[in-house]
Amino acid sequence: MTGALTWARLSYRQQKWELLLVTLGVVGVVAAMLYFVSTMDGMQAAFPECLSNMRAQMESPVGPPLACQAILEEWYEHQGWTSTLMTAARGAPLGLGVMLGAPLVAREIDGRTAQLAWSLSRSRIGWLARRIAFMVIFVLALLAIVAMAGELLAAAIEPDRNLAKDFFRFGERGLPIVARGAGALMLGVLVGAMIGRVLPAVLVSVIVIGIAFAGLSLGQEAWNRGEATIQRLYDDAGQPVGFDYASMDVEFGLLRPDGSYLGYNEAFERGLLPEMYQDEQGRIYASAADMEAGRVFGHEARLVIEAERYPELVLRDSVLWVLLGSAALGAAAVVVARRRPV
Amino acid sequence: MTWARLAFRLQRSSIGFAALVCLGLAALGAWLALSLPSMLARCDVPNPMDQCGTVYLFGSPMGDPALLFYLGIGVAMYAVPVVLGAPVLPSEVERRTAMIAWPLARSRMKWLAWRAGSVLVIGVVLVAFMALAAEALADAQDGELGFAHHGARGISLVTRAALMLVVAVVIGAVIGKLLPSLLVGGALALGLSVVLQVLPPYGVVSTELTAAEMSGYPFTTGHAYRAPDGVPIGEDEANEISQAAYAEYSPDFPPDSVLPYSVSYGIAGSRYFEVLARESAVLVGATIAAGAAAAFVVSRRRPE
């Protein structure tokens, strides 16, 4: 236990300023999130006639009551700020990976202390494990706080929705934040171990972690596309189908008369829909003449992942990032074991 | 040239990163600017702002690449200066080479002049490539630009980046450690971007904008409402009049003559260069002041 505390103290001292500044940043973001949670919950409690079931009010023919205009304007202003905070929550794991992961090994090599540190330790792998352990605990603890604050804030923004089965602000609340942080941290450590210089490692890890994030996002988008179901926006009688806001939108497009789905992007790229006309029943026509003749090109539809699958996709995203992080950690161990300490 | 070569060798990684980002974005912007006329020709429309059917369905004729370009510009214009400016002093202090470098340069001011000056010139040149590409893209979208993309193209982008770079040098000089300087620099970049959104129009007087001026990318400073007879009224009164009119004419829409209307105040797009000149003077002045602060810090701080 004493040995573990010594290592933790040493790890803290070596990255004291980064840890303090990062903690300050996280505290600031979380404090702001909790402020808006409190404010928006208070507004909900004080003005239920204006703020309950807002979507239905907006979609009604008469709109919200005139007396609610000022309340709604204030609510939407708060929503603007919360959107910024949720975006910060999405970026926090990547930022922590860059700032705390990349210098972990790079600083030792850059500062010419790796030779001594690796000699004093029984094995380089043991040294790496002890150095990383403190940082992993620290980062995961910080991100867990951000994740929980994100959940509270999302619930305050959309109090009428069951967010346990809702893709609202996916990736900006809950488990994915923590898992992505773990993966990004390990990627940063790997980059730092390979490059061995602090500033270049930080800069390259920005690119590497960014590419990893983009790659996993695009990969999961393609995966989602393969598993998505088609949801029509209007039924056969031309009546609007209740829009399921909780589902994840994969793509908007058309349900063709033959039952096949055609995305808008594909329709435009292939020149299948040079013009687009739509009637009030959601039927799409390729020209004014087709509209007059009743030659329907398709019905408005979208590809979605149902809201019930939210826990499954959260787990999938988290597992992918943890696997990526584990692979990066393994690679970092190999690099540290084999590289020269200068 | 010796000093410039030395400055490059001392900051190879950050200059390489800045060059990659700036030149990459410049290339993307140039490709978009060159591609736009042919894309719009497919719509057989001469003016980019005319409706082009499905090409404009999602708000941009170029979709994701254009959005990514402007997002990239918005981040790079602050990130690149921070990455270039923040390590100038910490890299010397942390490696304990300041104790040698400062005496060798005869004076700390001379050392700072070539060290930070070289980085500033390199940074401004790289950002200028980005700024030119952004200007070309904006010009290709619409000839009469007014205040469109102000701060993310041309001179306005370069002056912001130059100020951020010198401020980053000051931060690095004060803190003396590389990673904390980058973190604080990033936070200050966020603050500076907010401040620069609020400062315009730098004392230029706003006027009521005409309909023609509204379509020419003006800088709006406020809105007001007028009753159907032209009398100025408040927002609440305007809402009451509108709701009463809609209720009276329901289910039909009421005619425009019985509805209140909004007017906008601001600076017409034709006066863009007036605001740009004032802004450039303010930002250059702030940059010089930041440079003086950097010189003050460097002259007084311990070299370790």
Side-chain angles (χ1 to χ4, degrees), chain A residues 131-285:
Chain A
R131 285 288 277 120
I132 286 178
F134 171 77
M135 201 54 68
V136 166
I137 293 169
F138 181 85
V139 166
L140 294 189
L142 274 187
L143 290 177
I145 295 170
V146 173
M148 285 189 287
E151 288 284 8
L152 290 174
L153 185 57
I157 297 169
E158 295 285 353
D160 300 327
R161 287 157 72 161
N162 173 17
L163 297 182
K165 290 183 181 176
D166 194 314
F167 282 96
F168 177 67
R169 295 288 185 177
F170 180 79
E172 295 175 352
R173 57 185 175 97
L175 185 61
I177 291 179
V178 181
R180 290 173 183 187
L185 184 71
M186 296 309 155
L187 278 173
V189 169
L190 173 61
V191 171
M194 290 177 72
I195 293 180
R197 297 281 179 269
V198 174
L199 183 57
V202 166
L203 296 176
V204 171
S205 65
V206 167
I207 296 171
V208 168
I209 292 174
I211 290 174
F213 179 76
L216 281 180
S217 297
L218 289 172
Q220 289 189 78
E221 261 181 52
W223 192 340
N224 291 340
R225 209 174 188 289
E227 296 186 343
T229 55
I230 302 171
Q231 224 178 61
R232 283 182 61 162
L233 301 187
Y234 293 84
D235 60 22
D236 287 328
Q239 294 302 311
V241 173
F243 196 88
D244 181 8
Y245 291 95
S247 300
M248 176 192 279
D249 289 319
V250 175
E251 191 184 42
F252 283 85
L254 305 161
L255 188 64
R256 301 295 311 278
D258 61 4
S260 63
Y261 170 82
L262 179 67
Y264 281 128
N265 283 338
E266 186 186 350
F268 302 143
E269 280 167 17
R270 290 171 54 190
L272 299 175
L273 204 59
E275 295 176 291
M276 198 174 91
Y277 293 81
Q278 182 179 357
D279 63 20
E280 289 176 356
Q281 284 76 45
R283 291 184 288 246
I284 307 296
Y285 305 88

Side-chain angles (χ1 to χ4, degrees), chain A residues 15 17-18 21-22 62 64-66 69 73 99 103 107 110 197-200 202-203 206-207 264-265 268 273-276, chain B residues 11 13-15 17 20 52-55 57-58 83 87 94-95 175 177-184 235-236 239-240 243:
Chain A
Q15 289 186 259
W17 288 111
E18 293 92 85
L21 286 170
V22 157
V62 294
L66 185 62
Q69 291 286 349
E73 273 183 24
M99 277 299 159
R107 178 175 268 133
D110 204 4
R197 297 281 179 269
V198 174
L199 183 57
V202 166
L203 296 176
V206 167
I207 296 171
Y264 281 128
N265 283 338
F268 302 143
L273 204 59
E275 295 176 291
M276 198 174 91
Chain B
Q11 276 188 251
S13 58
S14 50
I15 291 174
F17 177 83
L20 184 70
C52 193
T54 55
V55 173
L57 188 65
F58 299 107
V83 164
E94 283 187 329
R95 289 169 190 269
I175 296 177
K177 293 187 187 304
L178 177 60
L179 287 179
S181 299
L182 288 176
L183 282 170
V184 173
E235 186 177 350
D236 289 342
N239 286 332
E240 283 177 21
Q243 290 217 340

Side-chain angles (χ1 to χ4, degrees), chain B residues 70 87 161 180 206 225 251 273 293 297 300:
Chain B
Y70 284 115
S206 302
Y225 292 91
F273 289 103
V297 172
R300 294 178 72 89

Side-chain angles (χ1 to χ4, degrees), chain B residues 214-232:
Chain B
M214 283 301 295
S215 61
Y217 299 106
F219 181 84
T220 51
T221 55
H223 300 272
Y225 292 91
R226 293 185 191 277
D229 57 4
V231 172

Side-chain angles (χ1 to χ4, degrees), chain B residues 1-303:
Chain B
M1 280 304 288
T2 306
W3 293 117
R5 264 206 301 270
L6 189 55
F8 174 74
R9 288 194 69 178
L10 287 171
Q11 276 188 251
R12 255 186 305 216
S13 58
S14 50
I15 291 174
F17 177 83
L20 184 70
V21 170
C22 291
L23 297 179
L25 282 171
L28 177 60
W31 172 75
L32 288 170
L34 291 171
S35 302
L36 183 59
S38 60
M39 290 172 74
L40 291 173
R42 282 204 297 272
C43 302
D44 205 26
V45 181
N47 186 330
M49 291 316 295
D50 285 346
Q51 284 300 313
C52 193
T54 55
V55 173
Y56 270 83
L57 188 65
F58 299 107
S60 165
M62 292 163 286
D64 288 340
L67 292 172
L68 281 174
F69 173 74
Y70 284 115
L71 183 65
I73 287 274
V75 173
M77 64 187 284
Y78 292 106
V80 164
V82 169
V83 164
L84 285 175
V88 168
L89 200 82
S91 59
E92 300 277 0
V93 171
E94 283 187 329
R95 289 169 190 269
R96 306 249 195 275
T97 54
M99 284 188 284
I100 302 170
W102 288 352
L104 279 177
R106 287 191 217 170
S107 82
R108 293 188 185 190
M109 294 302 102
K110 199 172 173 184
W111 173 86
L112 184 66
W114 75 255
R115 189 74 177 79
S118 308
V119 171
L120 181 64
V121 168
I122 293 171
V124 166
V125 168
L126 288 174
V127 168
F129 278 111
M130 226 167 45
L132 280 171
E135 187 78 40
L137 177 58
D139 204 50
Q141 289 180 295
D142 195 330
E144 298 294 325
L145 285 173
F147 286 86
H149 302 296
H150 173 65
R153 62 178 172 95
I155 295 172
S156 60
L157 196 163
V158 175
T159 50
R160 280 164 165 73
L163 172 62
M164 188 66 237
L165 198 151
V166 179
V167 167
V169 171
V170 177
I171 293 166
V174 169
I175 296 177
K177 293 187 187 304
L178 177 60
L179 287 179
S181 299
L182 288 176
L183 282 170
V184 173
L188 267 179
L190 208 63
L192 186 65
S193 68
V194 171
V195 167
L196 290 175
Q197 293 289 329
V198 172
L199 284 179
Y202 300 95
V204 177
V205 176
S206 302
T207 57
E208 186 174 325
L209 297 167
T210 64
E213 288 172 342
M214 283 301 295
S215 61
Y217 299 106
F219 181 84
T220 51
T221 55
H223 300 272
Y225 292 91
R226 293 185 191 277
D229 57 4
V231 172
I233 57 175
E235 186 177 350
D236 289 342
E237 197 176 341
N239 286 332
E240 283 177 21
I241 296 173
S242 293
Q243 290 217 340
Y246 274 92
E248 182 185 338
Y249 284 85
S250 178
D252 296 325
F253 289 110
D256 288 343
S257 57
V258 305
L259 290 173
Y261 58 96
S262 66
V263 293
S264 297
Y265 292 90
I267 319 289
S270 56
R271 298 174 66 196
Y272 174 66
F273 289 103
E274 192 180 330
V275 173
L276 181 64
R278 290 193 185 205
E279 180 184 84
S280 300
V282 167
L283 293 185
V284 168
T287 303
I288 293 171
F296 177 77
V297 172
V298 168
S299 68
R300 294 178 72 89
R301 76 161 286 144
R302 289 172 57 177

